[in-house]
Amino acid sequence: MTEDVVPVMRIGDTLLVALQGDLDDTTVIRIEDQLTREIARSAATGMLIDVSRLSVVDSFIARVLARIVAMVRLLGAQAAVVGIQPAVAITLVELGVPMGHLDTALNAEQGLALLERLRRGDTGTGRP
Amino acid sequence: MTVEAVTGREPAVFDIVDESDLIRVRKVLRTEAEATGLNLVDTTKLITAGSELARNILNYATGRRGRVSIEQVSRQGRRGVQATFCDDGPGIDDVDLAMTDGFSTRGSMGLGLPGARRLVDDMTLTSAAGRGTTVVIVKWQR
């Protein structure tokens, strides 16, 4: 059995995971595996991935984040990435990583509100 | 315009052979960027560009290995950080094509080279089929 690589907190029906440190590719893939298992096992209806303590997000990490969100949705839950650092956001846009389809929020608190709206099917963000 | 090495400082030179070296590239770039006085956004862009180029080596170079050299440089009194990535890989047949957004021979998003170029101030790519690839990037202090 793969061991857990990140601590996951549960707030009501939502799982909160905070990524930190300088992540190598193997760790990123292990986090992806863990979170996918975790959402299935816990039957949570939402997941917030807090990246506020990541000072660098390159195209690989960004791609895996998008994959995690897609998998969480396939498992019937909602997911959002919260706390992207402004310098990281600027860098990702210039790098050209397509992140526009990801649900994001400024911080965990706003992320919880966003998940609540998504659960109700109320996008309310001007998105289709 | 000539780019000069900042005297009294040795460049950091090391091999890129596995993904732990990617972490090292990011770490050394951060140290040099902070020592040079790059602001946070420029530091983040430089580190991200370096991470993309180092990963290119692990993905494309023969034997998945290459070498990086990172140093502080100056040009007309302005300081910057320069990183040189080289490998003995198959080389790039069509450099212009490789610099095009979305072009990839590996089924990736093809953002590595064009993406890295947008993140830095100067980028030069030297390559020929069978003779490896050298990419030099520089980020200058504002």
Side-chain angles (χ1 to χ4, degrees), chain A residues 18 23 40 49 61 64 70 72-73 81-82 84 88 91 93 95 104 114 125 128:
Chain A
L23 304 174
I49 305 166
I61 298 176
V64 177
V72 170
R73 285 187 188 143
V81 175
V82 300
I84 297 179
V88 170
T91 300
V93 169
L95 188 58
T104 55
L114 171 65
T125 52

Side-chain angles (χ1 to χ4, degrees), chain B residues 109-127:
Chain B
M109 288 196 298
L111 291 173
L113 289 173
R117 181 171 61 179
R118 282 192 292 271
L119 295 177
V120 295
D121 296 316
D122 303 332
M123 173 161 152
T124 54
L125 190 152
T126 320
S127 185

Side-chain angles (χ1 to χ4, degrees), chain B residues 60-79:
Chain B
Y60 297 102
T62 305
R64 293 167 183 267
R65 60 183 302 134
R67 206 166 173 75
V68 62
S69 170
I70 297 167
E71 62 190 318
Q72 291 183 37
V73 290
S74 74
R75 186 175 68 188
Q76 297 182 323
R78 203 171 165 205
R79 290 174 65 184

